[in-house]
Amino acid sequence: MHLATLAQPSLKHSDNAELVECRCGVCFPCSLCLTCTETLWPTWHPQPIIEGPRTTWHPHAIIEGTRPTWYFRVIILLLLALTLLVLARFHLTDSELVTPLSGGQAKGPPVTNIMFLKTHKTASSTVLNILYRFAETHNLSVALPAGLHVHLGYPRLFLARYVEGMEPQQHFNIMCNHLRFNLPEVQKVMPNTTFYFSILRNPVFQLESSFIYYKTYAPAFLRAPSLDAFLASPRTFYDSSLLNNVYAKNNMWFDFGFDPNAPRTEGYVRARIAEVERRFQLVLIAEHLDESLVLLRRRLRWALDDVVAFRINSRSARSVTRLEPKTRERARSWCALDWRLYEHFNRTLWRQLHAELGPRRLREEVERLRARRRELATLCLQDGGAPKNHTQIRDPRLRPYQSGRADILGYNLRPGLDNQTLRLCERLVMPELQYMARLYALQFPEKPRKNIPFLEA
């Protein structure tokens, strides 16, 4: 029953005929209410209804002879309400960059000072491509490795002198190459207004990928016949004193600058996670990359095309090892510090997504991102956008680096693209080493080019 019917006696016409009350709650024609048994025409101002000793005021009391005037007023009100609903819907879906983060999207210009901690085997090469493209499009400076190096001192702790062209009091816009995080030195390179973010992956699958990719590089992996064998007795193969074994245990924890072999005491783990939270405004999750990119776009106030990306540095299915449940459990235990980090920031990501977007808006934004990716794949890529084995890639400049036992895939572009479209598409599929060399040549034209030996083979 409508609350108004409990708060007042039943309403009567002046001729004492029964009036069935409207439940619309506003002065719309009673013909719109499902409970009305006849078409009635309410007045705008409430009229007194006399019933017994009391006088009741009700907005739907009837005054005869007012139908034509109020009909047009009601129609105008309906049209106004419909217009407001349409405008509200348009605002929710298309004006992402004009409302504050607390209630919608962020105001202000796009963020251009960005530090991305590029962790290993976490889809970070795809994110790197996004940042490289944005830097090139907007003519931003990138903190690139000095000389012929391709990393910023990794696996040693980062030092500012590892950056090409670094001078006192000089800052760069974007920093995104592999490094081991060292905040005081990073702050020498990046402005105080820098947005810090990183990415994590389920440590089980991160370790599986690392085992294949660094099989011939990490001594612990080189000695082990398989990942199952390694995890069955990791101490047999793992020597913590060998620097290149950083890929074999808690590698993401190590990338954040922490000790991968530290005791797993609760106080220590919580303190290190809190340290990451204080410095990094956002941590993406590889298993939910599209959702992560939607949130990243909001935080950076970027256009949709800025965060659309194809998968870079991905492996073929034949070079992915299927892990048994026992092996997965061993991997979680061996990389327990990584697992705590991942669990915490996976939960954090979803809390942020629901707080800032909500489930319905998130689904809409993810679908927009995926739809645009499909459009660009149709525009740019041959064979429906299917990734190719490196031997099948015609343009040597687009062939990805092959490491360990991994079969790293790349893309063929559609033939006959016009120059503008070709430039757009090349940037979307360019492997990270080639893109890094390209930006280095643009940023430091007076210096020798970066040497990428595998392209000359």
Side-chain angles (χ1 to χ4, degrees), residues 32 54 66 72 74 82 115 175 192 196 253 306 380 415 456:
L32 297 178
R54 296 192 304 170
T66 61
F72 290 113
V74 167
L82 181 61
M115 192 280 164
M175 187 179 208
N192 293 334
Y196 288 77
W253 190 265
D306 292 331
C380 295
E456 301 171 358

Side-chain angles (χ1 to χ4, degrees), residues 184-304:
E185 291 292 310
V186 170
Q187 289 176 322
K188 295 178 182 179
V189 179
M190 301 302 295
N192 293 334
T193 58
T194 295
F195 179 93
Y196 288 77
F197 79 105
S198 187
I199 187 168
L200 297 172
R201 183 183 182 184
N202 185 317
V204 174
F205 305 112
Q206 191 273 344
L207 182 65
E208 182 276 328
S209 181
S210 292
F211 185 86
I212 299 298
Y213 196 86
Y214 298 110
K215 183 70 175 75
T216 58
Y217 186 74
F221 294 157
L222 183 62
R223 297 172 56 202
S226 67
L227 183 58
D228 281 333
F230 173 79
L231 288 171
S233 182
R235 297 292 178 186
T236 302
F237 309 101
Y238 177 77
D239 182 350
S240 62
S241 66
L242 300 178
L243 191 57
N244 286 347
N245 273 339
V246 299
Y247 305 102
K249 185 180 184 183
N250 292 313
N251 186 216
M252 296 181 289
W253 190 265
F254 178 87
D255 287 348
F256 277 90
F258 306 140
D259 180 2
N261 297 291
R264 297 180 297 181
T265 60
E266 188 65 19
Y268 168 78
V269 173
R270 287 180 179 271
R272 299 291 79 75
I273 290 176
E275 189 175 328
V276 175
E277 281 193 315
R278 284 193 299 270
R279 173 46 52 190
F280 290 83
Q281 289 97 315
L282 180 61
V283 176
L284 314 183
I285 297 297
E287 284 77 15
H288 310 292
L289 185 58
D290 286 345
E291 291 84 355
S292 296
L293 292 176
V294 165
L295 189 55
L296 178 67
R297 181 193 169 208
R298 279 176 63 86
R299 299 288 182 87
L300 298 181
R301 302 189 290 272
W302 285 7
L304 179 62

